[in-house]
Amino acid sequence: MHPTQSLLLLLALPSLITAQSQKPLGEKVGDNLQNWLNKAKAYLPTSVTSPVDTGAARVAAKNVTPLTKDNWQSVLSPSSSAAASSGPEAWMVFVTGGNKTCYGQCGGVEAAWNESATAFAADPTAPNLASLNCDTAAVLCTIWAAGPPAIWYIEVPVTAMHQSRPATTIHIVPLNTTTSTAQEIIEIHY
């Protein structure tokens, strides 16, 4: 080898080593593109709500009376149509909450409640339905000592004129946040 050639090779050697450790331009662009796509995916919602679930929630909302500290006594009093019936008037109150009282775990139970409320809407023997959100009606939940998620099955006695009112029967059924189903909620009534 000629001395000039070896000198050129010696001078080019650091450049060759540096070039060998660098990533090709295509790999750099691919990595940056992948990072950008991963960031974009993080902004997309992870779950898509079903139109059937949304429809069931709308039907349930029409048939379910929300309870507050101002209206609960008038809502849970016997109605004029119940006076004609012979037995007590049944109410099924769904006690729920949000991040404060249910720690964000009531979503599955609320879906089951909405599904059961839709089924009750088609049944003429179904109880009256109400809901109590302990995040928005914390005072009423405290007064009742109610904790979500639960179903309060209340049988309001119907009294005739000039009779004293018998005691109201209340059955409290706690619900599991992970395994409760609409069928279990429906079976509370039957």
Side-chain angles (χ1 to χ4, degrees):
M1 199 187 256
H2 195 278
T4 354
Q5 286 179 341
S6 35
L7 182 62
L8 280 174
L9 184 61
L10 188 61
L11 290 174
L13 192 57
S15 299
L16 290 173
I17 292 173
T18 305
Q20 197 172 24
S21 66
Q22 289 182 351
K23 286 185 174 182
L25 182 61
E27 284 182 24
K28 282 185 182 180
V29 170
D31 288 345
N32 288 339
L33 181 64
Q34 190 63 38
N35 288 338
W36 183 83
L37 288 174
N38 287 338
K39 286 179 184 177
K41 285 180 189 176
Y43 290 108
L44 297 175
T46 55
S47 65
V48 177
T49 57
S50 162
V52 173
D53 292 341
T54 305
R58 285 188 186 143
V59 169
K62 288 182 182 177
N63 297 320
V64 177
T65 306
L67 297 179
T68 65
K69 69 179 177 72
D70 299 324
N71 75 349
W72 73 271
Q73 288 179 323
S74 62
V75 170
L76 296 178
S77 63
S79 65
S80 58
S81 62
S85 71
S86 59
E89 185 175 0
W91 278 90
M92 190 176 278
V93 178
F94 175 56
V95 181
T96 186
N99 286 333
K100 291 179 189 175
T101 56
C102 203
Y103 308 108
Q105 301 296 315
C106 282
V109 181
E110 286 182 7
W113 168 255
N114 290 337
E115 189 178 333
S116 66
T118 305
F120 281 134
D123 183 2
T125 64
N128 297 305
L129 303 176
S131 66
L132 173 60
N133 186 325
C134 289
D135 274 7
T136 58
V139 172
L140 183 57
C141 285
T142 302
I143 291 169
W144 283 13
I151 297 286
W152 283 42
Y153 191 80
I154 303 171
E155 294 175 320
V156 180
V158 180
T159 57
M161 293 297 277
H162 308 297
Q163 285 185 343
S164 63
R165 185 172 173 195
T168 301
T169 305
I170 301 173
H171 301 280
I172 301 171
V173 181
L175 299 173
N176 188 313
T177 58
T178 57
T179 61
S180 294
T181 64
Q183 186 60 38
E184 290 173 4
I185 294 172
I186 292 169
E187 287 172 1
I188 292 170
H189 173 62
Y190 301 106

